[in-house]
Amino acid sequence: MIGIPLGIAIGCHRVVRGIFDPLIEFYRPLPPLAYLPLVIIWLGIDESSKVTLIFLAMLAPIVLSARSGVTSVRIEQIQVAYSMGATPWQVITQVISRGALPDIMTGMRIAIGFGWTTLVVAEMVVAERGIGFMVLNASEFLVTDVVIAGILVIGIIAYCFDLLMRYLEAKLIPWKGYN
């Protein structure tokens, strides 16, 4: 809800790009666990810290993919829309957003992977329940079967997320060529 509009705004407006692009590019390469202590200090050890950490882990890939999608829209498409009487808002919502949708969906697939990984690791570090906590707790007591089962469940859930995103891509972007 924040990443896509922000990415489109960064791709469409120089001023917005000048303000937000350096911030996104600064924190994008930082691993989420690097700012985990700061998030815990500010928000405590509860669900809000995990949600914030996942949000931050997912924001940069979504913003960058939306920005990339905007720049991939051909200028001729935009000019044709304007010549047919489209308003700037219609150009952004009907031409640019739809043209950027394949890149946005790819960024969302990547972001979901980052978010899932961040959630599992955050559960290992600061949680008292969850699959990450279960795997780490089992490893401390050398319960290998629970560790392996946890890893399999983590992988299966990640694969299901990816299948869901592929399904959404096929439905939302039929022109991309999915069968």
Side-chain angles (χ1 to χ4, degrees), residues 39-40 42-52 122 126-127 129:
V39 171
I40 291 171
W42 286 346
L43 302 175
I45 301 176
D46 61 356
E47 297 302 314
S48 62
S49 62
K50 284 194 278 187
V51 169
T52 301
V126 296
R129 63 180 183 270

Side-chain angles (χ1 to χ4, degrees), residues 12-71:
C12 290
H13 302 289
R14 279 192 344 237
V15 173
V16 177
R17 182 172 38 252
I19 294 169
F20 289 103
D21 202 39
L23 297 172
I24 296 292
E25 290 296 343
F26 171 76
Y27 102 89
R28 178 188 56 83
L30 296 174
L33 290 181
Y35 42 85
L36 177 62
L38 190 59
V39 171
I40 291 171
I41 290 169
W42 286 346
L43 302 175
I45 301 176
D46 61 356
E47 297 302 314
S48 62
S49 62
K50 284 194 278 187
V51 169
T52 301
L53 195 65
I54 293 165
F55 169 79
L56 292 172
M58 295 177 71
L59 183 65
I62 292 173
V63 169
L64 293 177
S65 66
R67 182 188 70 186
S68 174
V70 168
T71 60

Side-chain angles (χ1 to χ4, degrees), residues 22 38 49-50 75 77 84 108 113-114 116 123 131 141 149 152 166-167 172 179:
L38 190 59
S49 62
K50 284 194 278 187
I75 192 68
Q77 292 173 306
M84 296 181 78
M108 288 179 65
F114 285 166
W116 178 242
E123 287 177 347
I131 193 157
F141 293 104
L152 289 173
R166 288 181 193 193
Y167 173 78
L172 295 174
N179 292 327

